[in-house]
Structure formats: structure tokens, C-alpha cells
Amino acid sequence: MADQPALLEELHRLRARVPQLTGALAASVDGLVLAHDAPGVEPEGLAALTAAALGVAIRTTDATGRGELRELLLRGHLGYVATYAAGAHAVLTLLAQDRVNVGRLHLEGRRAGARIGELVDTVAPAPAPARPAVRPAPRTRTARTSASPAAGPTTTTTTPRSTIPRSTTPRTTTES
């Protein structure tokens, strides 16, 4: 695990640079608290909620083709919750008053996230190598046959879906 005193010191320095911050939390991407400076907030609950929001945000950026998640900003009528990527294994969540300069919040949050990422990533275990993806076999279509004792043996053929011809001409009906 990362050096908690160094992480806590970074959170204190961040809160000193941005006076409108009401809390700061460094957590693992799994929702475990690494360090916190968030009076009046349950850090374990905030870390768990951050991990859940992070999961949704990552899926959203993937689904929309926006690349890797860098930050997430939520605004309520009483202030902001900002989450920043902090290396490969951690996130930084900041709580700020509504009157915070959002540009300054982003600037300082990104810098602190990078420093926290360096602290956490230097001691985090290397991830296991990814296994190659296994693609499922293509689906096939099986022709239906009727089996009657007099008909003799039946045969079944399979044809891949991609080779089934499809008519492109419209069907017309005639009435007499």
C-alpha cells in the first residue's frame, strides 16, 4: 500500500492551495480508503460511492468512444464533487463549496492526482498479464426435417448465417 503519511500530506497541501475545498480523499479504484482529509464525511462510504461512480463513468466513456476516464465532475446546489484519475490504481475525490473556481479546482486536482498516482503506483503490485479474448464460435442454422418411419434416415445440414441468400426484391401480391 502507498505511504499514507505522504498521501495525507498531499491532501493537506491541496486543501491549503484551494481554500474552498471541504474535503479530499484518496482511494483505490476498488473503493478502499488510502488517505482522507474530509471532516464530517464518512471516508469509507465516500470511497465506495466513488468506486461505483467511477465504474459507471468508465463504461460511459467506453460506450461513447471518449477514451480513458480522466475526471468526473458532479454539481449539487451546495457544491461540487470532483473525481480525478490518480495513476492506474487510485482516484482522488474532492469536495468543494459552490463558490469554488472550477478552473482552479481542475488545475489543482489534476496536479494532486498525478502526484498521488506516482506515490500509489510505485508500490502497487503490477497487474497480471491479460489473457487473450476468446471469441465464441459463429452461430449456425440447422434445417428442420420431419422424421417419419417410412421416410427412412433423415439428414440435417447446417449453413452459416452469413451465407444464407437474402432477397432484395420487394414482395408483391396480386389479387384476382
Side-chain angles (χ1 to χ4, degrees):
M1 198 51 52
D3 182 16
Q4 187 179 16
L7 291 174
L8 195 54
E9 184 179 327
E10 182 60 38
L11 297 180
H12 289 309
R13 283 196 309 257
L14 176 62
R15 288 199 58 198
R17 288 190 307 269
V18 184
Q20 295 82 18
L21 284 183
T22 58
L25 171 112
S28 70
V29 293
D30 299 334
L32 301 174
V33 176
L34 301 176
H36 67 91
D37 182 11
V41 176
E42 180 195 346
E44 290 81 12
L46 180 58
L49 287 170
T50 296
L54 184 66
V56 171
I58 288 170
R59 290 185 66 187
T60 302
T61 56
D62 286 345
T64 57
R66 301 295 176 229
E68 282 187 31
L69 177 75
R70 291 188 179 174
E71 57 200 43
L72 175 66
L73 181 67
L74 303 171
R75 182 178 182 205
H77 75 279
L78 297 177
Y80 294 88
V81 178
T83 300
Y84 301 92
H89 305 285
V91 292
L92 170 66
T93 297
L94 304 178
L95 308 175
Q97 299 170 353
D98 189 46
R99 59 188 176 89
V100 71
N101 178 324
V102 177
R104 178 75 185 265
L105 177 69
H106 283 318
L107 176 71
E108 296 295 345
R110 290 170 187 152
R111 285 180 180 168
R115 283 190 292 277
I116 289 170
E118 290 171 1
L119 291 170
V120 172
D121 289 347
T122 58
V123 295
R131 294 186 312 201
V134 177
R135 293 184 176 257
R139 294 178 57 182
T140 59
R141 177 178 265 170
T142 304
R144 292 185 183 199
T145 60
S146 62
S148 68
T154 60
T155 59
T156 305
T157 60
T158 52
T159 308
R161 282 184 181 244
S162 61
T163 62
I164 297 173
R166 304 229 183 243
S167 173
T168 57
T169 58
R171 293 183 185 178
T172 58
T173 59
T174 57
E175 292 183 21
S176 345

